[in-house]
Amino acid sequence: MDLNQLYTELILEHSQSGHNKRHLNSADCTQRGHNPSCGDDITLELKCDGDKIEEASFTGSGCAISQASTSMMIDLITGKTLEEALELAGKFISMIKKEITDEEELEVLEDSIVFKNISNMPARVKCAVLSWHTLKEAVGKQ
Amino acid sequence: MDLNQLYTELILEHSQSGHNKRHLNSADCTQRGHNPSCGDDITLELKCDGDKIEEASFTGSGCAISQASTSMMIDLITGKTLEEALELAGKFISMIKKEITDEEELEVLEDSIVFKNISNMPARVKCAVLSWHTLKEAVGKQ
Amino acid sequence: MKKFDVKQIRKDFPTLSQKVNGKPLVYLDNAATTHKPNFVLDAMIDYYEKHNANPNRGAHYLGVSATELYENAREKVREFINAKSNKEIIFTRNATESLNLIAYSYGMKYVEEDDEIVVCISEHHSNIVPWQKIANLKKAKLKFIYLNEDYRLNMDEVYTKITDKTKIVGIAQMSNVLGTVYPVKQIVEYAHSKGAITIIDGAQSAPHIKIDVIDINTDFLVFSGHKMLGPMGIGVLYGKEELLEEMPPFLMGGDMIEYVEEQNTTFAELPHRFEAGTPNVEGAVGLTAAIDYIEEIGLDNINTHGHKLTSYALEKLMAIPYVKIYGPKDLDNRGAVISFSVEGCHPHDVSTIVDTYGVALRAGHHCAQPLMKYLNAPATSRISFYIYNTKSEIDIFIDSLKNVRKWLGYGS
Amino acid sequence: MKKFDVKQIRKDFPTLSQKVNGKPLVYLDNAATTHKPNFVLDAMIDYYEKHNANPNRGAHYLGVSATELYENAREKVREFINAKSNKEIIFTRNATESLNLIAYSYGMKYVEEDDEIVVCISEHHSNIVPWQKIANLKKAKLKFIYLNEDYRLNMDEVYTKITDKTKIVGIAQMSNVLGTVYPVKQIVEYAHSKGAITIIDGAQSAPHIKIDVIDINTDFLVFSGHKMLGPMGIGVLYGKEELLEEMPPFLMGGDMIEYVEEQNTTFAELPHRFEAGTPNVEGAVGLTAAIDYIEEIGLDNINTHGHKLTSYALEKLMAIPYVKIYGPKDLDNRGAVISFSVEGCHPHDVSTIVDTYGVALRAGHHCAQPLMKYLNAPATSRISFYIYNTKSEIDIFIDSLKNVRKWLGYGS
Ligand SMILES: Cc1ncc(COP(=O)(O)O)c(C=O)c1O
Ligand SMILES: Cc1ncc(COP(=O)(O)O)c(C=O)c1O
């Protein structure tokens, strides 16, 4: 895989800007997620209004891929209902598993589509899906 | 190795005649010896007069080599002192290990010299030395 | 069914073309270990030449490649025995280690005082000695299922020995001494009805018979790569996911952990939790190639060929008056292993003598001393066949056998 | 000292001549596993083509031949580490299994409540997790020897941690993360003075440094074949005869028994008592060839070459301002392993990026999470050298490393 396709400007921006990396004042739900084998370790925080994700953020450390994927996910799910967020998680994971390849169907993932090619890098797949698995666990608990 | 050199008439005679295979009426010492991996299992019986082996015999089962080697050993040690028997055991084991190769030096082993070539058959060495190891243990206990 | 051409198959096995004591090798010791086709040897070398790395841990090219090959091997084995999930396939060193894993992990956790562990009298030591240890430590009872006169198993004996107290039932699907193939599916069903779990030792059956763990419904299955054309040093433990999930780890170290702190450790998910240290990727790759090779030939073909040779050898052996056979005398539920004795001749002498004719057979207790004692035979000789053996090899063996008594001084 | 010609050596390793991502492979992950010279691969194939059999059990030609090769391997290993007797050499699957054997057999027998087990904070998980289990089961205490600022060990810390209560002291001779080589001989001496026994983990040192178990006087030593040019699936446990003699068996099954009765078993003599099931003769033969190859080159030469490369790489790395090195910065008691981090860049990104330049390095916790926590580094990158690495490979690595921050958006 070409590094240009992996470390795109978008990914680098998200991994470095840290605009979603902070504590929420009054999170309803805090969920830790980790990849023990590589050390990615994030904590996702959600603040909901009824069924709707009003605000989301994360803390923790990890590689550029895991950090960017988490940050983009937060952009995407903010304002969505929990159900919609779960659906997006399913889409994202299916994209990585190459179960969904149709670009149109993936459009709802917006910027997160950049991770499509990561399925060609088995060693990095876990980094990209970490935040989405964490989200699923968080929502499952609600 | 040529089978002719292994299953000599002498060996076959000893393994089949069973002239030393019996219980002693009043053994002073009974010693079991076995090769668990092949199943050879003998019990050596000695009757001593002071330091001298007056009578010896064995019981048990095993291959032609172990049976013949035991029988020949008994012929050889009967009438010898325990010390002489031990010395013969040392000689026999050294012969098998090829530590002694000089024919003259081995002459005291009499018929048992036929086992000289068994050192070329690693799988059968144990069969030939079983009785001698058993003898050493028996004498060690006296 | 594909065509089965033994001449063609023999060409794949470099080991078979050598001479032993000046005679062509007649290798009849396949129950101990099989030879390896070039296809397997090539796969191993290819692994080392192009993919070698420590798997699971690396993001570099070779690391990814080795991980893929290792996990593909798991998938191949899963499919071979029709397991539900790759999580149920644990790679071990050999069947023995697989059995010890079950004993140390499942046995230590679940067996309690007065519980019973039931095995068959014809088990290999590997399926007896670990259970003696567990029984001893836990004050449980180790019980044996005995056999009939015809070396087969009576289900009534099974019904008697397996009771409400039985926690574990272990049995080899095929005896490595008698060749008997036991009705494992029925035994599993009965064991389950009594609340016991089951272990099938497939060391002898996996190379010959299609094993479907879902159909048999066994809780555990073990086998070794080296007895089915694969390399030494690789074995398999199959376990139902829900059981493995609750079992404590056995070997501990790298790769089987999640988080290690100074005083505490959490463990990785299945199947990794049971695979500690650098795995034998070479072995897994070799086993994959072996299964590919076996599937290319077809287990049906292999089984048929084994039956043909066994039937031929049984007939020839039964015609010799001073030969006694230990094992079923017909082909009903019987594998390609024949144990026998030659009157007046110790098995080790038999082995030494036929060896000079190029014939490799095994003599001794075959790691089944309790069975030998039960049969009242201190040792036997054993021949065992695999895909590359031929009727003419059996002829050579029979000829050599006919010379044994002559060499040992019994006239003709 | 013989001439050391790295160009010549590289020709012996088919794996090294391949391209990765279109670039020549630069393999710097030797602490994880090494590649194999043709000499080793040929020996393994030769074994399967001419000698393959189940050893220990057979009187036939191949069985005898396989037994001989297997026992010759034991003798080769004995000589390699200068052990007194072949009875002291146990073949296992890898260093991890060797350590588990000690824990399950020695640890379970001798460790008691309130006893202490002392290991170093830089230990591999394989020398930590088994001891957590023993400590836990026996209500004993697991204690850690910590390191100095310079990643070396202070003997005062050893004198503090090892006490009269200490039963077992375990330490890797060379850390697989820091490269530090610890003064094992002094540690062993002190441990003995306190009545403890010692385990040296030689997984990293055996490939580089001459180990003399009589000189070091350690009670146990473990290492893995695959980290020293040998095949996967073979490891070694050395133990002093008088200790092994008193230890209960670990894995149970074929070959490690003397007499098996239905309810009781007596065990074989050393070393067989600790080797259950069909041994990995291929692995033992491959390890023999690997030791032959290493001895032909000479451990002195290997050590010197490692030092040369390490010194060169340290110098280059230290010249890069955003690189931090975890480990001693001079060559004093230091092996050919360098861990480092790149400011602002996660080790996994580093690994992925240099991989596209053909460079294989390792990223992560290197199976030493307690050390990583102690160093306050969630993960590091690691390079490690062996006989076939060159300075120009280090140049390629350094060039690729200089590109890492650019790819990750830090300008140059
Ligand atoms: C210091 C040390 N000890 C033990 C091990 C474990 O070796 P293996 O995985 O071959 O069992 C390793 C290698 O991973 C190591 O570097
Ligand atoms: C029925 C049976 N079970 C278990 C084993 C043990 O296999 P391994 O020695 O490969 O562990 C064998 C072979 O020796 C066997 O025949």
Side-chain angles (χ1 to χ4, degrees):
Chain A
M1 187 186 179
D2 196 334
L3 286 181
N4 279 312
Q5 284 172 28
L6 184 65
Y7 297 110
T8 60
E9 257 180 61
L10 193 65
I11 286 183
L12 295 181
E13 208 185 280
H14 271 278
S15 79
Q16 281 167 17
S17 79
H19 71 278
N20 289 320
K21 197 165 178 174
R22 63 178 192 284
H23 275 299
L24 290 189
N25 277 336
S26 47
D28 302 307
C29 166
T30 297
Q31 179 69 40
R32 191 172 168 200
H34 29 214
N35 288 329
S37 65
C38 41
D40 294 334
D41 190 340
I42 60 162
T43 301
L44 183 67
E45 302 184 18
L46 301 178
K47 188 170 145 56
C48 297
D49 181 8
D51 200 33
K52 205 169 131 210
I53 301 173
E54 219 177 17
E55 232 183 321
S57 74
F58 79 107
T59 55
S61 71
C63 65
I65 306 302
S66 71
Q67 300 279 301
S69 179
T70 309
S71 176
M72 286 185 209
M73 178 189 83
I74 286 173
D75 281 355
L76 192 61
I77 62 170
T78 306
K80 300 274 195 312
T81 64
L82 292 174
E83 205 174 323
E84 285 166 336
L86 269 190
E87 208 171 298
L88 289 167
K91 278 252 157 72
F92 186 89
I93 292 164
S94 294
M95 171 181 82
I96 301 291
K97 285 187 179 165
K98 288 188 174 167
E99 291 165 1
I100 305 180
T101 50
D102 182 33
E103 296 269 344
E104 244 172 79
E105 209 184 322
L106 295 175
E107 247 171 28
V108 289
L109 292 175
E110 299 181 16
D111 284 353
S112 294
I113 293 189
V114 291
F115 292 107
K116 198 175 170 199
N117 286 320
I118 208 126
S119 38
N120 302 323
M121 304 197 72
R124 305 309 299 274
V125 161
K126 277 187 176 179
C127 313
V129 296
L130 174 63
S131 56
W132 290 96
H133 279 303
T134 312
L135 174 67
K136 279 174 70 176
E137 274 190 67
V139 175
K141 280 205 226 155
Q142 292 287 298
Chain B
M1 188 184 179
D2 197 334
L3 288 181
N4 280 313
Q5 284 173 26
L6 185 65
Y7 297 110
T8 59
E9 255 179 63
L10 192 65
I11 287 183
L12 295 180
E13 207 186 281
H14 271 278
S15 78
Q16 282 167 15
S17 80
H19 71 277
N20 289 320
K21 198 164 178 176
R22 64 178 190 284
H23 277 299
L24 290 190
N25 277 336
S26 47
D28 302 307
C29 165
T30 297
Q31 179 68 42
R32 193 173 166 199
H34 28 214
N35 288 330
S37 65
C38 43
D40 293 335
D41 189 341
I42 60 162
T43 302
L44 184 65
E45 301 184 19
L46 301 179
K47 187 169 145 57
C48 296
D49 180 8
D51 200 35
K52 205 169 132 210
I53 301 172
E54 218 176 18
E55 232 184 322
S57 74
F58 79 107
T59 56
S61 69
C63 64
I65 307 301
S66 72
Q67 300 278 302
S69 179
T70 310
S71 177
M72 286 186 211
M73 180 189 81
I74 287 173
D75 280 356
L76 192 59
I77 62 171
T78 305
K80 299 273 194 312
T81 65
L82 293 174
E83 204 176 324
E84 286 166 336
L86 269 189
E87 207 172 299
L88 289 168
K91 278 253 158 70
F92 187 88
I93 292 165
S94 294
M95 171 181 81
I96 302 291
K97 285 188 180 165
K98 289 188 175 167
E99 291 165 0
I100 305 179
T101 49
D102 182 34
E103 296 269 345
E104 242 170 83
E105 210 183 322
L106 296 174
E107 247 172 29
V108 287
L109 292 174
E110 298 180 16
D111 284 354
S112 294
I113 292 189
V114 291
F115 292 107
K116 198 175 169 198
N117 286 321
I118 209 128
S119 38
N120 302 323
M121 305 198 74
R124 305 309 299 275
V125 162
K126 276 187 178 179
C127 314
V129 296
L130 174 63
S131 55
W132 290 96
H133 279 302
T134 312
L135 173 66
K136 278 173 73 177
E137 274 190 66
V139 175
K141 280 205 224 152
Q142 293 287 296
Chain C
M1 213 148 91
K2 288 161 231 150
K3 230 188 109 215
F4 182 87
D5 182 347
V6 71
K7 264 195 210 134
Q8 211 50 45
I9 287 174
R10 288 183 70 85
K11 287 187 193 153
D12 294 339
F13 290 81
T15 328
L16 297 178
S17 60
Q18 67 186 303
K19 299 218 162 174
V20 158
N21 298 316
K23 308 276 169 32
L25 169 66
V26 173
Y27 185 78
L28 303 180
D29 194 15
N30 294 287
T33 200
T34 60
H35 293 299
K36 322 302 170 197
N38 283 321
F39 186 72
V40 168
L41 299 181
D42 291 348
M44 287 158 52
I45 295 302
D46 184 73
Y47 164 71
Y48 279 126
E49 290 190 351
K50 303 213 188 88
H51 310 279
N52 177 53
N54 205 320
N56 302 332
R57 305 185 198 162
H60 60 69
Y61 174 83
L62 294 180
V64 170
S65 170
T67 308
E68 239 170 62
L69 287 172
Y70 189 63
E71 293 307 320
N72 288 349
R74 208 188 295 283
E75 168 60 17
K76 172 59 71 178
V77 170
R78 185 204 62 71
E79 190 197 298
F80 183 63
I81 60 171
N82 194 32
K84 265 195 218 132
S85 156
N86 286 359
K87 293 183 187 172
E88 302 181 318
I89 309 298
I90 315 288
F91 284 121
T92 62
R93 183 161 35 142
N94 50 29
T96 300
E97 194 182 77
S98 301
L99 289 163
N100 277 272
L101 193 164
I102 306 172
Y104 272 101
S105 174
Y106 189 94
M108 286 297 280
K109 176 165 178 182
Y110 294 108
V111 175
E112 287 166 17
E113 191 164 339
D114 289 334
D115 282 348
E116 296 171 349
I117 300 165
V118 177
V119 299
C120 185
I121 188 69
S122 64
E123 291 312 296
H124 189 279
H125 293 158
S126 298
N127 204 15
I128 296 177
V129 190
W131 302 118
Q132 289 179 346
K133 175 173 174 142
I134 298 296
N136 200 303
L137 274 172
K138 299 288 189 171
K139 301 202 176 87
K141 217 166 138 184
L142 179 62
K143 288 164 64 179
F144 288 84
I145 291 172
Y146 297 116
L147 302 176
N148 289 351
E149 287 287 290
D150 63 355
Y151 306 96
R152 292 204 170 92
L153 175 152
N154 196 321
M155 281 306 284
D156 282 341
E157 167 76 358
V158 173
Y159 303 146
T160 312
K161 291 287 161 70
I162 301 178
T163 73
D164 291 332
K165 289 186 171 177
T166 307
K167 274 268 168 73
I168 295 173
V169 175
I171 187 165
Q173 184 168 18
M174 185 198 297
S175 159
N176 67 317
V177 181
L178 308 170
T180 313
V181 174
Y182 298 111
V184 289
K185 193 174 166 176
Q186 287 94 299
I187 296 171
V188 167
E189 202 184 334
Y190 189 72
H192 284 168
S193 79
K194 291 290 177 182
I197 62 103
T198 57
I199 302 163
I200 304 297
D201 174 355
Q204 292 300 330
S205 55
H208 291 272
I209 303 171
K210 175 71 195 168
I211 297 180
D212 180 329
V213 290
I214 293 181
D215 178 55
I216 296 177
N217 196 21
T218 184
D219 299 292
F220 296 101
L221 168 78
V222 307
F223 56 96
S224 284
H226 70 94
K227 289 183 201 278
M228 47 184 285
L229 309 181
M232 294 175 136
I234 188 90
V236 173
L237 165 65
Y238 158 83
K240 283 187 183 164
E241 187 176 342
E242 56 273 28
L243 292 179
L244 291 175
E245 204 59 84
E246 300 298 322
M247 280 159 61
F250 171 45
L251 298 177
M252 281 160 288
D255 282 6
M256 53 72 75
I257 55 89
E258 187 189 34
Y259 290 102
V260 181
E261 297 181 351
E262 288 191 10
Q263 300 300 335
N264 280 297
T265 292
T266 55
F267 299 106
E269 302 203 328
L270 293 177
H272 305 288
R273 189 189 306 161
F274 291 104
E275 295 180 358
T278 303
N280 185 352
V281 187
E282 174 220 301
V285 166
L287 180 57
T288 306
I291 294 176
D292 279 335
Y293 188 90
I294 285 174
E295 289 181 337
E296 177 64 28
I297 292 180
L299 274 166
D300 282 353
N301 278 323
I302 293 174
N303 202 5
T304 306
H305 182 65
H307 268 160
K308 217 181 285 180
L309 296 177
T310 306
S311 147
Y312 186 71
L314 277 173
E315 193 185 307
K316 295 264 172 184
L317 282 171
M318 289 193 293
I320 306 177
Y322 49 80
V323 166
K324 174 173 166 57
I325 291 168
Y326 295 89
K329 288 181 193 59
D330 58 58
L331 291 184
D332 217 29
N333 288 315
R334 186 195 207 302
V337 171
I338 305 175
S339 284
F340 63 91
S341 65
V342 179
E343 204 184 307
C345 305
H346 193 275
H348 278 88
D349 294 315
V350 174
S351 179
T352 296
I353 292 167
V354 302
D355 186 45
T356 64
Y357 292 83
V359 177
L361 55 71
R362 189 135 297 230
H365 52 62
H366 315 295
C367 297
Q369 290 182 14
L371 175 66
M372 303 313 278
K373 192 157 186 185
Y374 182 71
L375 299 177
N376 204 10
T380 69
S381 298
R382 182 185 76 184
I383 52 174
S384 50
F385 313 119
Y386 207 42
I387 44 172
Y388 36 66
N389 290 120
T390 65
K391 283 191 183 174
S392 65
E393 286 185 313
I394 295 176
D395 290 336
I396 294 173
F397 155 66
I398 294 285
D399 280 348
S400 71
L401 193 64
K402 286 184 174 159
N403 281 301
V404 164
R405 282 170 55 97
K406 207 170 56 201
W407 279 112
L408 292 177
Y410 288 96
S412 74
Chain D
M1 214 148 91
K2 289 162 228 148
K3 231 189 107 216
F4 182 87
D5 182 348
V6 71
K7 264 195 210 134
Q8 212 49 45
I9 287 173
R10 288 182 70 85
K11 286 187 192 152
D12 294 339
F13 290 81
T15 328
L16 297 177
S17 59
Q18 68 185 304
K19 298 218 162 177
V20 158
N21 298 315
K23 309 276 167 33
L25 168 65
V26 174
Y27 185 78
L28 303 180
D29 194 16
N30 292 288
T33 201
T34 60
H35 293 300
K36 321 301 170 201
N38 283 321
F39 186 73
V40 167
L41 300 180
D42 292 349
M44 286 158 53
I45 295 303
D46 185 73
Y47 165 71
Y48 279 126
E49 290 191 351
K50 303 214 189 89
H51 310 279
N52 177 54
N54 205 321
N56 302 334
R57 304 186 199 162
H60 60 69
Y61 174 82
L62 294 180
V64 170
S65 169
T67 308
E68 239 171 59
L69 287 172
Y70 189 62
E71 294 306 321
N72 287 349
R74 208 187 295 281
E75 168 60 17
K76 172 60 72 178
V77 170
R78 185 204 61 71
E79 190 197 297
F80 182 63
I81 60 171
N82 194 32
K84 263 194 220 135
S85 157
N86 285 359
K87 293 183 186 172
E88 302 181 318
I89 308 298
I90 316 288
F91 285 120
T92 63
R93 182 158 39 137
N94 49 29
T96 300
E97 194 181 78
S98 300
L99 289 164
N100 277 272
L101 193 164
I102 306 171
Y104 272 100
S105 174
Y106 190 93
M108 287 296 279
K109 176 165 177 183
Y110 293 108
V111 175
E112 287 167 16
E113 191 165 337
D114 290 333
D115 282 348
E116 296 171 349
I117 299 165
V118 177
V119 300
C120 184
I121 188 67
S122 63
E123 290 313 296
H124 189 279
H125 293 158
S126 299
N127 204 15
I128 296 177
V129 190
W131 301 118
Q132 289 180 346
K133 175 172 174 143
I134 298 297
N136 201 304
L137 276 172
K138 299 289 187 169
K139 301 203 176 86
K141 217 166 137 186
L142 180 61
K143 286 165 64 179
F144 288 84
I145 291 172
Y146 297 116
L147 302 176
N148 289 350
E149 287 287 290
D150 63 353
Y151 306 97
R152 292 205 169 92
L153 176 153
N154 196 321
M155 281 305 285
D156 282 341
E157 168 76 358
V158 173
Y159 302 147
T160 312
K161 290 288 162 68
I162 301 178
T163 73
D164 290 333
K165 289 185 171 178
T166 307
K167 273 270 170 72
I168 295 173
V169 175
I171 187 163
Q173 184 168 17
M174 185 198 297
S175 159
N176 68 316
V177 180
L178 309 171
T180 313
V181 174
Y182 299 110
V184 289
K185 192 174 166 177
Q186 286 95 300
I187 296 171
V188 167
E189 200 184 335
Y190 189 73
H192 284 168
S193 79
K194 291 289 175 182
I197 62 103
T198 58
I199 302 163
I200 304 297
D201 174 354
Q204 292 299 331
S205 55
H208 290 272
I209 303 172
K210 175 70 195 169
I211 298 180
D212 180 329
V213 291
I214 293 181
D215 178 53
I216 297 178
N217 197 20
T218 184
D219 299 292
F220 296 102
L221 168 78
V222 307
F223 56 96
S224 282
H226 70 94
K227 291 186 201 276
M228 47 184 284
L229 309 180
M232 293 175 138
I234 187 89
V236 172
L237 165 65
Y238 158 82
K240 282 187 183 162
E241 187 177 340
E242 56 272 29
L243 293 179
L244 291 175
E245 204 59 83
E246 299 299 321
M247 281 159 59
F250 170 46
L251 298 176
M252 281 159 287
D255 281 6
M256 52 73 73
I257 54 88
E258 186 188 34
Y259 290 103
V260 180
E261 297 182 349
E262 289 190 11
Q263 300 299 336
N264 279 298
T265 292
T266 54
F267 299 106
E269 302 204 329
L270 292 177
H272 305 289
R273 188 190 307 159
F274 291 104
E275 295 180 357
T278 303
N280 185 352
V281 187
E282 174 220 302
V285 166
L287 180 57
T288 305
I291 295 177
D292 279 336
Y293 188 89
I294 285 174
E295 289 181 338
E296 177 64 28
I297 292 180
L299 275 167
D300 282 352
N301 279 324
I302 293 174
N303 203 5
T304 306
H305 183 65
H307 268 160
K308 218 181 283 179
L309 296 176
T310 306
S311 149
Y312 186 71
L314 277 174
E315 192 185 308
K316 295 264 173 184
L317 282 171
M318 288 194 294
I320 306 177
Y322 50 81
V323 166
K324 175 172 165 55
I325 291 168
Y326 295 89
K329 288 180 193 60
D330 57 57
L331 292 184
D332 217 29
N333 287 316
R334 186 194 207 303
V337 170
I338 305 175
S339 285
F340 63 91
S341 66
V342 178
E343 204 185 308
C345 304
H346 192 276
H348 278 88
D349 294 314
V350 175
S351 178
T352 296
I353 292 168
V354 302
D355 187 45
T356 64
Y357 292 83
V359 177
L361 55 71
R362 188 133 298 227
H365 52 61
H366 316 295
C367 297
Q369 290 181 13
L371 175 66
M372 303 312 278
K373 192 157 186 185
Y374 181 71
L375 298 177
N376 202 12
T380 69
S381 298
R382 182 186 74 183
I383 52 175
S384 50
F385 313 120
Y386 206 42
I387 43 172
Y388 35 66
N389 291 120
T390 64
K391 282 191 182 174
S392 65
E393 286 185 313
I394 294 177
D395 290 336
I396 295 173
F397 154 65
I398 294 285
D399 281 349
S400 72
L401 192 65
K402 286 186 173 154
N403 281 301
V404 164
R405 280 170 57 96
K406 208 169 59 201
W407 279 111
L408 292 176
Y410 288 96
S412 75

